[in-house]
Amino acid sequence: MAGEIPDLEAEVRTGTGKGAARQARREHLVPGIVYGGGADPLPVNFKYNYLIAKLKAGRFLSTLFNLKVEGQEDVRVICRGVQRDVVKGLPTHVDLMRLRRTSRINLFIPVEFINADKCVGIKRGGTLTVVRPEVELNVLAGEIPEKLVVDLEGRKIGETITISAISLPEGTKPTIDRDFVIANIAAPRALAAADDDEETEVATEE
């Protein structure tokens, strides 16, 4: 299961409505709202530079966060929208949704490849070509896998590794409804070039 959920820090926003939101922006804060989870909506503010750094880190809309607000209990949230200035594209408001452990969400989970030193194809000069370094899964908020593991031991040149070859936690499923490719063991360039030359010669003879 996921080892560590990243923190997302905010502060309670006093007052509601457009006036309070405009005041927050004048103070270099980005207003937001936390809703759902059977609790009342909570107006919050984010420090502008802090939020920009989080957004630039990527996957902000598909990352499960541990929201920390002074005076409030920590809660798991996922972003459901970032409103931006139409001219500058800078964030002007953030919508966060609280999640129960039984809530289902889509998240990108990284793929880890192990036993490369025992991979027959790599030992013979092949190259591991990673098509998907991470996979989007539909998971329970309380049962998020930290990573997906692909065992390369014994795999040969030309082998393709698909999502069906990976053991997924119970209740977890890919968001793509087909057996898509995760990686493959590509042939060495010299071998691939030789095969191409051989095919050319056969075609010429014919």
Side-chain angles (χ1 to χ4, degrees):
M1 296 303 104
E4 185 175 343
I5 297 173
D7 288 337
L8 183 63
E9 299 178 1
E11 58 188 49
V12 174
R13 172 160 46 95
T14 57
T16 57
K18 293 183 178 179
R22 282 196 294 267
Q23 179 61 34
R25 296 184 188 104
R26 283 195 292 268
E27 296 173 0
H28 300 289
L29 301 171
V30 180
I33 191 75
V34 186
Y35 63 90
D40 293 334
L42 175 67
V44 295
N45 284 329
F46 296 93
K47 292 181 179 179
Y48 179 80
N49 289 336
Y50 173 80
L51 180 62
I52 288 293
K54 288 288 187 181
L55 291 171
K56 286 184 176 180
R59 300 295 186 197
F60 190 79
L61 291 175
S62 59
T63 298
L64 183 68
F65 289 106
N66 177 51
L67 182 66
K68 302 181 75 68
V69 179
E70 187 174 354
Q72 305 283 328
E73 289 187 4
D74 290 4
V75 62
R76 290 184 176 186
V77 299
I78 191 166
C79 181
R80 279 298 176 244
V82 178
Q83 298 175 29
R84 297 177 180 271
D85 179 271
V86 294
V87 178
K88 299 181 179 180
L90 300 176
T92 58
H93 193 275
V94 178
D95 294 321
L96 299 171
M97 184 175 70
R98 300 184 187 94
L99 294 173
R100 297 187 176 94
R101 291 183 64 83
T102 55
S103 300
R104 298 200 70 90
I105 53 174
N106 293 344
L107 290 176
F108 283 90
I109 306 299
V111 180
E112 179 180 328
F113 298 87
I114 62 172
N115 290 328
D117 59 327
K118 299 178 182 178
C119 178
V120 176
I122 292 177
K123 283 185 175 181
R124 293 182 176 177
T127 302
L128 174 65
T129 302
V130 179
V131 178
R132 293 178 185 268
E134 54 186 9
V135 175
E136 188 178 30
L137 300 177
N138 182 262
V139 300
L140 289 169
E143 299 291 335
I144 300 173
E146 182 178 1
K147 58 190 175 184
L148 301 180
V149 178
V150 174
D151 191 347
L152 297 174
E153 183 175 356
R155 295 190 178 275
K156 303 174 182 178
I157 289 175
E159 278 199 45
T160 297
I161 304 162
T162 61
I163 188 64
S164 62
I166 300 178
S167 178
L168 300 178
E170 186 176 352
T172 297
K173 58 184 180 180
T175 58
I176 300 175
D177 189 23
R178 58 181 170 80
D179 193 19
F180 53 87
V181 175
I182 301 295
N184 58 66
I185 311 297
R189 290 184 177 180
L191 179 59
D195 288 343
D196 290 342
D197 290 342
E198 184 176 330
E199 290 179 5
T200 301
E201 289 177 7
V202 170
T204 301
E205 291 173 1
E206 292 177 351

